[in-house]
């Protein structure tokens, strides 16, 4: 079982379920998969980022394999997604919000666990981002999509902001606050970005060869 | 050198060679690669699942890098595949059987090593599946295919069944039996599934956007 | 901070900056990405191989997260690439040379660190190759390209040659020389291969199904 403080654990489990549900729904939308494929992708989305983080901070075996709540919630999210997948079109807004919830909670957890493991502030922020975007990136790669983190400027940036708030408040001793504040900042930026369609600047006058990307088919 | 008991080690080396050969042949079939690419993909298929497992159970460096028999057999399988690749069409049945052999042995080894590392029964079963499907999943991703584990319902399920039998028989103290029995169960389910074309249920009325998948070209 | 000897560290930081710049430019060429995507891919190319190596030799957290110079140089390379990306066509030769520089330095560093970690000579050579090609392989997979290491025979081979020279000279006690010599051998073979368009042998009469590869669109 996990030994992390209760507010962090609650955030972590919330994010795991949200990403399990979101990842499986995204999988259904992107590729025609059977129930095994949908649940597998839900679990990968929910657990992938945390597993990468735990490998990098040498906290092995990863929490995802030590605490039954992680893999159970991830699988439950995936199964629920399969059950409701016939209503996919109406679920689009929910997919987006669930994704922002997972992104926000995991950015905070990742940064927080990295600080606990003794990493400096910048690597801790990077690990927050990796935790937040890792699972979805593996999922996108497996179903043949360019990962969201590469296509959407306001995806890594809110995660980085949430991780930065977590690191800053933790370093200044505001214990207990970081989790909620960091997650709220990330969630807000992500939702504002989605609402207003904001993106990061693109390279000027690029002429992609198109030979290798799946986006220009 | 490895310190695992002889029956397990024999299974492990058999699976390594089978996956080396299978992975390289699959690579030749999927994409026009030179000899280096073919051997690299054979080695990744043969060693990838075990390496992921060893990282997750914190048994580092991975067995694949400590025992020369693993990388030698994997490379030998890849080279043999390159040598016989002109007879690819006649080798189709062999590719399928070799894949089922690797899947069966690796599901048993993975679950067994995870139990030895102190993991609980469900995570041990998950690690059996990860060991069995990991290498092939990396190979498929590198050559741009949707991984078999996502497309084919009866691929993860036999691996899970083999891992479950291994865990159940090990936990009840039937030492020596688990390896053979678990592998046999996985192999049988996989071959029956292939023979009768059985698949897991698909989501109802899904309309994939097609924008991100390579299967609908 | 890193504790590796000065010549190795200098090589490592040079390779990190070269791969950060190269990876980001390759990303701009392959897919239309915003500044976040370009920098992320530059950092993945620059740091990915070393992170995989450090995971496999159990040197965790990876050097890339412990020494600020690694992630700073990787990010700087990515930002510089974004800034100059409007001159992409004129930069083609530079991209190729930067790639060969990263390949050469990382093959030497990877083999050297693996020997230090107690691995035998063949696994140490394999880890040299993995360090050299790992980051670029992740980058290519994320943007949907078949990785260079699979397509180009004279990519893994120079890395293997550089790693072999490093291992041979280290084992025979020629301390100090290995780094420069191994890197020079790898760089020369790679540049000669590019200049003369040399490739490794391909399988005879292969008829790829095309169903899974992105190269035959």
């Amino acid at each position: 079982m996990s030994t992390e403080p209760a507010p962090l654990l609650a955030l972590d489990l919330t994010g795991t379920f949200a990403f399990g549900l979101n990842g499986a729904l995204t999988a259904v939308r992107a590729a025609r998969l059977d129930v095994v494929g949908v649940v597998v992708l839900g679990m990968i989305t929910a657990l992938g980022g945390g597993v990468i983080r735990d490998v990098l901070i040498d906290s092995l075996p990863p929490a995802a394999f030590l605490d039954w709540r992680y893999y159970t919630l991830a699988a439950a999210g995936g199964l629920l997604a399969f059950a409701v997948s016939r209503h996919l079109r109406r679920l689009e807004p929910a997919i987006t919000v669930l994704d922002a919830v997972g992104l926000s909670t995991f950015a905070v957890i990742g940064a927080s666990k990295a600080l606990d493991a003794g990493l400096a502030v910048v690597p801790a922020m990077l690990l927050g981002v990796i935790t937040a975007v890792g699972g979805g990136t593996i999922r996108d790669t497996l179903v043949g999509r360019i990962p969201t983190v590469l296509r959407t400027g306001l995806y890594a940036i809110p995660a980085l902001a949430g991780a930065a708030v977590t690191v800053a408040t933790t370093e200044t001793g505001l214990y207990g606050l970081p989790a909620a504040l960091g997650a709220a900042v990330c969630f807000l930026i992500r939702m504002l970005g989605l609402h207003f369609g904001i993106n990061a600047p693109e390279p000027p006058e690029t002429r992609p060869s198109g030979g290798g990307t799946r986006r220009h088919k």
Side-chain angles (χ1 to χ4, degrees), chain A:
Chain A
M1 304 290 286
S2 179
T3 55
E4 54 189 313
L8 271 188
L9 180 62
L11 266 190
D12 208 357
L13 296 176
T14 306
T16 301
F17 183 72
F19 261 164
L21 192 47
N22 160 274
L25 287 171
T26 306
V28 171
R29 190 170 53 177
R32 185 157 187 83
L33 303 170
D34 61 29
V35 62
V36 175
V38 170
V39 173
V40 165
L41 282 174
M43 293 183 77
I44 285 172
T45 309
L47 306 176
V51 167
I52 296 174
R53 174 204 60 216
D54 287 348
V55 169
L56 296 179
I57 63 174
D58 203 13
S59 167
L60 295 170
F65 292 93
L66 292 181
D67 187 329
W68 63 272
R69 290 171 293 190
Y70 288 109
Y71 53 79
T72 307
L73 279 173
L79 281 171
L80 179 58
F82 186 78
V84 302
S85 60
R86 68 170 66 226
H87 309 294
L88 195 56
R89 203 157 296 184
R90 268 184 291 156
L91 291 168
E92 292 282 339
I95 296 180
T96 307
V97 173
L98 287 169
D99 190 54
V101 169
L103 191 78
S104 308
T105 56
F106 279 17
V108 170
I109 304 285
S112 188
K113 287 197 174 182
L115 285 177
D116 283 350
L119 289 191
V121 296
V122 174
M125 287 164 53
L126 292 178
L127 272 166
V129 176
I130 290 170
T131 308
V133 309
T137 299
I138 301 177
R139 175 202 61 211
D140 287 343
T141 305
L142 291 178
V143 299
R145 302 203 314 172
I146 302 255
T148 310
V149 66
L150 297 181
R151 286 179 299 146
T152 316
L154 279 186
Y155 196 75
I157 287 173
L160 193 62
V165 170
T166 306
V167 168
T169 50
T170 306
E171 291 292 295
T172 51
L174 296 170
Y175 185 79
L177 195 58
L181 196 60
V185 166
C186 173
F187 187 79
L188 268 177
I189 301 179
R190 176 72 185 133
M191 295 311 290
L192 286 173
L194 279 166
H195 187 72
F196 294 107
I198 305 165
N199 271 305
E202 297 201 350
E205 293 174 45
T206 315
R207 295 175 208 84
S209 70
T213 168
R214 290 164 234 139
R215 293 170 59 209
H216 301 280
K217 278 195 291 203

